[in-house]
Amino acid sequence: ARGRSVSPARKRKSRLGKLALLFLILVMVAAGAFGYLAYQRYQGFADTAIAGIDKGETLRVAPGDTLPKVLRKLREIGVETSSFEWRALAKQMGAAGKIQIGEYALEPGMTPRDLLARMRDGKVMSYRFTIVEGWNIRDLRAALAKATPLKQQTAQLDDSALMRALERGGQHPEGRFLPETYQYTRDDSDLDVLKRAADAMDKALVEAWASRDPQLPLNSAYELLTLASIVEKETGVADERPQIAGVFVRRLKMPMRLETDPTVIYGMGSAYSGNIRKTDLRTDTPYNTYTRDGLPPTPISMPGRSALQAVAH
């Protein structure tokens, strides 16, 4: 039998099919290579230090800021940004649409992944303000007025208005704020810090009063706070506070006047020039414990936890 011959048309069709298959393979290989290169570039972008960041720079994310707005802010700082890569990385990390407001530190060497993680998790910059043991309310307010970038909301308030703003109307402000270090953000105000310090003192005072010696000659937690404020001003050495507290407690039990200079000084107010004289000790004021029995009418300073516990025990 004679073999069948293949027509030229069928041969051309076969060659075209092979060429098409080869072209498709080449396209797939090229696409794969392009995808691999794009992935490698993407990975390199995500974990490569951001160029254009100088030490001390910050990024502020305001309410309503979207990722494109944040990228524009980065470009204004001098950071070159590719919207496509940042958007892709934000989507992969679950940060898209979840960027939190606040101020973020931009540090040399940080990567896009680092920055997006901070903004997604709300790891904003924080600042510190320390209330020093033994400060009085004037010291505290003067230091707060200089704290930056804390928003100032109390400058025009007198002490009574300040306590009303803290929802503590009728309370004397002296001694009401616990000496500690408090962290705050750029969006916080001096009222925010004072509220936290007042709440912390409330808690510390409740704990000290609840654990007090049953023989303590004090009638209230406020009296404990007042005596602790005197102990605080008598010494800055923690180990000496129990001994000094013991001296004052024994005097109250006898009864005997406390006769302590810090109360006289507090009662003198702005008239105190750095030296206390005999005439000052004899000049009667509500705070002069040389001329008056018992405790002064209010605390004279901000006592720390150590002074509170020294008096309680």
Side-chain angles (χ1 to χ4, degrees):
R2 289 185 292 180
R4 297 179 180 179
S5 61
V6 180
S7 67
R10 292 187 63 184
K11 288 182 179 180
R12 285 196 299 274
K13 187 175 181 181
S14 177
R15 285 198 297 273
L16 288 173
K18 290 178 180 179
L19 288 172
L21 179 60
L22 178 61
F23 178 75
L24 179 61
I25 292 173
L26 289 174
V27 169
M28 292 177 64
V29 169
F34 177 79
Y36 175 76
L37 290 174
Y39 176 76
Q40 288 294 101
R41 179 183 174 185
Y42 168 75
Q43 286 295 101
F45 156 78
D47 299 311
T48 298
I50 302 171
I53 293 180
D54 295 325
K55 187 175 182 180
E57 286 185 312
T58 64
L59 173 67
R60 183 83 186 277
V61 178
D65 279 359
T66 59
L67 181 59
K69 180 65 177 294
V70 171
L71 294 180
R72 284 198 294 273
K73 289 183 176 182
L74 284 172
R75 284 193 288 270
E76 291 170 1
I77 293 172
V79 176
E80 295 183 6
T81 60
S82 166
S83 295
F84 172 78
E85 291 171 334
W86 280 90
R87 287 173 184 268
L89 181 59
K91 185 174 182 180
Q92 179 201 22
M93 295 176 60
K98 295 183 179 179
I99 293 177
Q100 300 189 42
I101 64 172
E103 184 184 20
Y104 296 90
L106 298 179
E107 302 165 355
M110 75 184 313
T111 68
R113 192 185 302 278
D114 295 333
L115 181 54
L116 283 171
R118 287 187 184 185
M119 293 190 292
R120 177 197 64 197
D121 300 336
K123 293 183 178 179
V124 298
M125 290 181 63
S126 63
Y127 302 84
R128 294 184 176 187
F129 179 78
T130 299
I131 300 177
V132 178
E133 294 176 343
W135 271 1
N136 61 35
I137 188 61
R138 296 186 300 276
D139 299 326
L140 173 55
R141 298 196 66 176
L144 269 177
K146 297 177 182 177
T148 56
L150 197 63
K151 292 180 180 178
Q152 300 295 324
Q153 296 182 340
T154 68
Q156 304 305 316
L157 304 179
D158 61 20
D159 287 349
S160 296
L162 171 65
M163 297 308 283
R164 288 195 298 271
L166 293 170
E167 299 180 352
R168 295 166 180 270
Q171 290 186 2
H172 194 282
E174 199 64 81
R176 292 289 188 174
F177 306 96
L178 186 68
E180 280 188 354
T181 296
Y182 298 90
Q183 291 190 334
Y184 65 92
T185 69
R186 183 177 289 273
D187 294 319
D188 289 330
S189 71
D190 49 1
L191 276 176
D192 294 322
V193 174
L194 287 174
K195 177 67 166 60
R196 291 167 54 202
D199 290 344
M201 178 58 87
D202 286 347
K203 183 177 179 181
L205 185 56
V206 166
E207 291 172 354
W209 182 248
S211 67
R212 70 189 184 281
D213 186 312
Q215 302 302 316
L216 200 65
L218 301 174
N219 298 315
S220 67
Y222 191 65
E223 288 188 356
L224 188 152
L225 178 64
T226 301
L227 184 54
S229 75
I230 298 172
V231 171
E232 189 68 74
K233 292 300 291 184
E234 279 285 350
T235 180
V237 181
D239 291 344
E240 295 177 356
R241 289 174 186 142
Q243 180 180 359
I244 293 172
V247 170
F248 288 139
V249 165
R250 287 191 291 274
R251 289 182 181 179
L252 289 173
K253 284 181 175 180
M254 290 179 67
M256 174 183 173
R257 287 177 179 168
L258 295 181
E259 296 185 343
T260 172
D261 291 357
T263 61
V264 177
I265 293 169
Y266 186 86
M268 293 173 64
S270 58
Y272 178 65
S273 59
N275 294 311
I276 189 167
R277 302 163 299 175
K278 288 184 178 180
T279 184
D280 298 322
L281 300 180
R282 292 193 295 266
T283 300
D284 184 51
T285 74
Y287 290 89
N288 191 335
T289 52
Y290 285 87
T291 61
R292 299 202 180 192
D293 298 335
L295 295 166
T298 73
I300 63 169
S301 73
M302 311 291 171
R305 296 180 187 274
S306 175
L308 291 171
Q309 290 298 323
V311 171
H313 301 102

